[in-house]
Amino acid sequence: MDPAPDDRTAVTPPSPDGQSRRALLRAGAAAVAAGTSAALAACLESDSSVDVPPGVDDPTSLPDGQHAWNDALAHDADGNVRPPAHHVFLELSLRGGPDGSARETVETTLRDLERAVAWGPEGVLFTLGYTRAYVDRFDASLEGVSLPEPDPMPVLAAESDVTVATNDALLHLASDDAAVVLAVEEALFGDRQRLDGTSLSGSLADVFERVDRRTGFVGPGLPAERQQGLEGLPDGDPVPEEAPFFMGFRSGFRESQATEDRVTIADGPFAGGTTQHVETLELELGSWFEASSHDQRVARLFSPDHADREAVGKYGDRLGTDPGVLETVDRIADDARERGIVGHAQKLARARDDGDPVLLRRDVNTTDGDVCGLHFVSLQRELSEFRRVRRAMAGDEFRQYGVGPRQGNGILRYVRLRHWGDYFVPPRRQRALPRPNPDT
Ligand code: HEM
């Protein structure tokens, strides 16, 4: 997958004229998905307004948590955190052992990046997380963090055709600017020498092989734009223009999200880090839009009560910062028995901790492989919390009311699990090939 060294370019993106940023944003989702130099060139050519805002002089001034993105992110008109628009997920496999020299290459390259490009959605935000397979390279156990084998079976009994993350690491890059996220990916792996005037002195390609590449996008307009020409979608462009997600609704409301503090590891050598779960779900948007009305979609995604009260609006526009699902939890058995439907968010709000959400979700749409899907990304202090919440989504207990996965059990009928990965994301100071027991 790694291009030959002579594929290097020295493109310095031109400075902004601000003219057609929106056009670029839209063209960008396709370019990021293609992920080639040609796509980048097309992306840059289609609008000359791409620049790389410079980073910090002192990378140690950046937040301790690699996942501490929220302070750098903008908010929507209601006050919900607005995620970066364009995402690349790279599964990485170590070329050699995780020794001191590889560790130094990784740290130097990432620090160079932080000096070259702003930490934020106008520049780039990223996390580098590690798998169980990485930890197993060492003759020591991971201190203070429980990192299970990647296996959906204990959580979801009946899934098939699911791949699991068995490489060493996952690099998640995110930016509002498609050209920046592509340029950063190229620079990190030595396929481009300069980032708007600054060079990275090392290359992650000396340490890691990129074995898988996934891409995503999120934000109003982007799913509507991407729905055109995709297989499996009914005619008539059913995804509303304003919807940030393919299923047609907003998500990630402030009161339904854990805070970054809540998902941050509190003690031990990896204090300040977090754990990350990433799964890919294929979406059956044909039946989602064709076999159900707007009210039924609201009932399945939020709750039947939300549909009765018309509380959601066309795409979640009436919801502000609180989708109001906690209030619907008590009636869930009645909804199952009497209505034959339980809402996705209604089910999941049952898994809060004393009323507080435990997952910080950063999911994004995808059209990887020309299939509509969702890369579901969540951060939590402990992966056991994720599994507990995911079991609440499976909602097995509603079978007793005849509400199984093929019936009105949230959105289960419309999603199919394809990939499952669990990672630990060390704090920034430990991000470069950490030893599992750094204090000993
Ligand atoms: C295609 C897949 C999915 C879609 C379209 C989706 C969409 C939504 C929507 C619209 C909400 C309501 C409000 C909000 O986001 O703030 C929600 C809530 C939530 N979803 Fe999902 N979701 C999906 C998959 C998942 C998965 C795989 C999980 C993993 C456990 C999950 C966990 C949650 C949680 C924890 C909440 C918040 C519940 C609360 O308020 O406490 N979702 N989701």
Side-chain angles (χ1 to χ4, degrees):
M1 169 133 194
D2 287 333
D6 61 2
D7 195 23
R8 289 174 186 223
T9 53
V11 182
T12 300
S15 49
D17 64 12
Q19 200 203 355
S20 52
R21 261 195 87 74
R22 193 163 165 78
L24 177 70
L25 202 67
R26 292 174 167 216
V32 172
T36 60
S37 293
L40 175 60
C43 191
L44 292 174
E45 268 167 30
S46 71
D47 179 319
S48 58
S49 71
V50 184
D51 73 338
V52 182
V56 287
D57 291 337
D58 176 12
T60 63
S61 65
L62 292 172
D64 195 26
Q66 296 190 71
H67 61 291
W69 294 9
N70 285 2
D71 280 352
L73 289 168
H75 295 82
D76 67 17
D78 289 317
N80 301 297
V81 167
R82 202 171 67 203
H86 298 289
H87 298 249
V88 174
F89 302 88
L90 299 171
E91 277 195 27
L92 306 175
S93 176
L94 276 171
R95 293 184 187 279
D99 58 18
S101 127
R103 195 165 288 130
E104 196 176 323
T105 302
V106 172
E107 186 56 26
T108 309
T109 308
L110 295 180
R111 284 197 182 201
D112 282 355
L113 176 65
E114 287 161 343
R115 288 191 191 93
V117 184
W119 173 258
E122 69 290 1
V124 69
L125 293 160
F126 60 92
T127 59
L128 179 56
Y130 296 88
T131 60
R132 178 81 241 168
Y134 169 81
V135 173
D136 288 344
R137 288 175 175 274
F138 296 84
D139 196 14
S141 51
L142 188 59
E143 227 173 281
V145 185
S146 167
L147 185 60
E149 297 286 343
D151 182 5
M153 283 306 278
V155 186
L156 311 167
E159 293 290 345
S160 55
D161 291 338
V162 180
T163 55
V164 296
T166 52
N167 296 297
D168 289 289
L170 181 79
L171 180 64
H172 176 188
L173 303 169
S175 175
D176 273 348
D177 195 325
V180 171
V181 87
L182 281 167
V184 164
E185 179 187 354
E186 291 198 345
L188 281 174
F189 287 87
D191 305 333
R192 141 191 302 263
Q193 285 176 323
R194 301 182 71 74
L195 272 168
D196 207 23
T198 321
S199 302
L200 308 189
S201 53
S203 165
L204 295 185
D206 293 338
V207 176
F208 291 118
E209 187 186 348
R210 280 173 281 178
V211 282
D212 204 358
R213 181 178 191 277
R214 299 189 168 83
T215 64
F217 54 91
V218 60
L222 295 177
E225 178 78 14
R226 293 287 285 162
Q227 71 185 311
Q228 286 158 17
L230 278 175
E231 266 180 49
L233 268 161
D235 291 340
D237 295 343
V239 182
E241 168 67 25
E242 307 87 343
F245 287 97
F246 269 136
M247 289 182 101
F249 295 92
R250 292 162 80 197
S251 177
F253 296 94
R254 192 175 66 207
E255 302 303 324
S256 276
Q257 290 277 50
T259 61
E260 284 179 346
D261 272 359
R262 179 62 182 78
V263 304
T264 298
I265 297 169
D267 310 302
F270 297 111
T274 189
T275 70
Q276 181 186 46
H277 173 84
V278 182
E279 68 182 67
T280 301
L281 296 163
E282 223 174 271
L283 303 179
E284 292 190 12
L285 292 183
S287 45
W288 174 248
F289 284 110
E290 275 184 331
S292 55
S293 65
H294 180 268
D295 276 0
Q296 287 166 332
R297 292 196 288 275
V298 168
R300 284 176 176 277
L301 205 42
F302 294 89
S303 83
D305 182 60
H306 281 74
D308 294 346
R309 290 188 294 111
E310 297 183 3
V312 169
K314 185 177 169 197
Y315 59 93
D317 33 306
R318 297 205 180 133
L319 291 176
T321 54
D322 187 356
V325 286
L326 196 57
E327 297 83 331
T328 66
V329 164
D330 286 348
R331 72 186 66 170
I332 196 162
D334 292 343
D335 284 345
R337 205 171 20 235
E338 292 160 17
R339 313 281 297 262
I341 292 190
V342 292
H344 165 77
Q346 182 184 20
K347 269 188 294 179
L348 288 162
R350 292 173 308 155
R352 290 188 184 185
D353 176 16
D354 211 9
D356 293 330
V358 296
L359 307 190
L360 175 51
R361 291 164 289 132
R362 287 184 172 155
D363 33 325
V364 295
N365 307 284
T366 186
T367 53
D368 287 346
D370 290 329
V371 175
C372 284
L374 184 92
H375 294 311
F376 178 83
V377 179
S378 105
L379 306 175
Q380 50 285 311
R381 187 171 290 157
E382 291 176 20
L383 283 158
S384 60
E385 294 176 306
F386 172 77
R387 290 196 294 276
R388 181 168 60 79
V389 180
R390 192 65 170 85
R391 266 194 293 269
M393 180 173 168
D396 291 338
E397 62 275 36
F398 299 112
R399 284 174 193 271
Q400 61 182 302
Y401 307 112
V403 184
R406 304 297 302 167
Q407 283 88 31
N409 197 333
I411 55 172
L412 295 184
R413 186 171 171 179
Y414 307 95
V415 302
R416 188 164 303 151
L417 181 66
R418 286 288 176 239
H419 185 73
W420 179 276
D422 289 324
Y423 309 86
F424 93 100
V425 180
R428 199 178 301 268
R429 63 180 187 279
Q430 305 272 9
R431 67 185 166 185
L433 306 182
R435 295 181 191 83
N437 53 350
D439 290 346
T440 50

